[in-house]
Amino acid sequence: MDKSGSYLQKHPGITRTRVANFVSNGMWSDVNIHASLYSARASGKPHVELEVWSAPGQERPTFAHATKQQFAPIEVGHQFGPSWSTHWVRVTVQIPHEMEGSQVRLLFDPSCEAMVWTDAGEPLQGISSGLSSARRVDVILTEKARAGEPRRVLYLEVACNHLFGNGRTTIEPPKDDRRFPLATADLVVYNADAWALYYDLQVIRDMAQKLPQDSPRAWQALAAGNAIVNEYSVGDQASIVRGREISARFFAARGGDANHQVYAIGNCHIDTAWLWPYAETR
């Protein structure tokens, strides 16, 4: 690449920021890739009905006990708290006919953590709020919605703590009076191409930022990311497909037969009573 003639080379910092803003869930989310991540959305009654029962003190009741209690209706914006308390939310969903034929998910963001249960008492998955890579606030309800979908009931055991306890940092003592607003409770249809482009761009952005700044591959990543941003238009699915074609060409490049092959292997562990009460671990 000719450094003297490239606008990317003249203003690399601006271009890196531009690509980073395109994938950030912040002030630009109504015009960047986040505006296209869901092709359909429904919220409120009759599609999503919310009720809650709050366990007293710091009790952690069983599913069988909690689901027999008297639940009261709530709405998005409801405040869970204080720190370490447990709140059981009953979610009754009615998938709208507009979502027929699509995979449908529940987006449930309590601004803290939760465990998702079926109405039969089977634990399904965890919920973790926040903006880190550990964020997970979606639950798949059906892979393919059909006409006349029955009403579905889920229970969410909301725990009033963050991923790393209730302090501002991992080395500070916890705050005992924190409150956590229910930020989202929507039915959504994922836009698979938009999500794929979002993850492509996260890799391309990191390569443009982290690789040696004078390396050809870093400049190629920056050029690819900038081209995708140029191509994108809110509401234009074809622009997302064209963006994926750009990322596919970028990722198809090979460095030669001596390339390394890298494998990612996950692990799981439990820190007993590290940043939370022992009863939480138990």
Side-chain angles (χ1 to χ4, degrees):
M1 183 179 291
D2 180 9
K3 290 187 177 182
S4 63
S6 169
Y7 64 94
L8 295 176
Q9 297 281 358
K10 292 178 181 178
H11 308 288
I14 293 175
T15 307
R16 282 192 289 269
T17 300
R18 183 176 188 241
V19 175
N21 286 340
F22 187 71
V23 295
S24 67
N25 188 16
M27 64 184 300
W28 309 110
S29 59
D30 57 342
V31 293
N32 67 15
I33 190 63
H34 285 270
S36 300
L37 294 179
Y38 307 107
S39 57
R41 184 186 290 261
S43 60
K45 296 180 179 180
H47 305 302
V48 182
E49 297 183 23
L50 305 166
E51 302 167 279
V52 70
W53 172 72
S54 298
Q58 292 188 16
E59 293 184 12
R60 290 164 177 78
T62 64
F63 174 89
H65 175 80
T67 54
K68 293 177 182 177
Q69 306 309 306
Q70 186 69 36
F71 283 68
I74 59 171
E75 296 179 347
V76 170
H78 176 82
Q79 298 275 333
F80 300 111
S83 303
W84 312 121
S85 59
T86 299
H87 307 263
W88 286 78
V89 179
R90 181 163 58 207
V91 182
T92 304
V93 303
Q94 178 67 66
I95 297 174
H97 65 83
E98 292 86 358
M99 296 181 178
E100 181 180 340
S102 302
Q103 183 199 76
V104 180
R105 304 189 186 199
L106 170 69
L107 287 189
F108 187 89
D109 184 354
S111 299
C112 51
E113 293 192 311
M115 172 65 77
V116 184
W117 300 77
T118 69
D119 59 353
E122 177 186 358
L124 292 179
Q125 67 172 71
I127 291 287
S128 184
S129 299
L131 298 177
S132 72
S133 59
R135 176 178 172 84
R136 186 186 187 191
V137 296
D138 60 292
V139 184
I140 296 177
L141 299 176
T142 178
E143 289 292 347
K144 187 176 183 179
R146 62 183 188 276
E149 281 278 348
R151 288 163 65 88
R152 302 165 184 261
V153 175
L154 291 175
Y155 288 90
L156 290 102
E157 182 184 4
V158 176
C160 288
N161 56 267
H162 285 300
L163 184 64
F164 294 105
N166 274 317
R168 288 189 302 172
T169 69
T170 57
I171 62 173
E172 289 188 353
K175 291 183 59 178
D176 291 332
D177 60 348
R178 295 190 71 165
R179 304 286 165 168
F180 303 87
L182 176 56
T184 308
D186 295 345
L187 301 181
V188 296
V189 173
Y190 266 37
N191 184 338
D193 282 328
W195 277 98
L197 184 59
Y198 169 71
Y199 290 122
D200 284 352
L201 272 167
Q202 286 189 323
V203 176
I204 291 172
R205 174 202 61 193
D206 287 351
M207 291 178 69
Q209 292 177 345
K210 305 300 183 182
L211 289 177
Q213 294 302 289
D214 59 349
S215 67
R217 196 57 172 156
W219 289 113
Q220 291 167 6
L222 190 60
N226 192 63
I228 291 170
V229 177
N230 287 342
E231 194 66 51
Y232 176 78
S233 179
V234 175
D236 182 1
Q237 186 68 16
S239 72
I240 296 173
V241 174
R242 292 193 297 271
R244 290 215 66 202
E245 292 171 351
I246 295 171
S247 65
R249 288 195 296 270
F250 172 77
F251 289 126
R254 290 180 53 85
D257 295 333
N259 280 358
H260 294 289
Q261 206 165 36
V262 180
Y263 298 88
I265 302 174
N267 74 87
C268 179
H269 68 278
I270 297 176
D271 294 303
T272 306
W274 176 36
L275 298 171
W276 42 81
Y278 172 69
E280 195 72 27
T281 299
R282 185 179 61 185

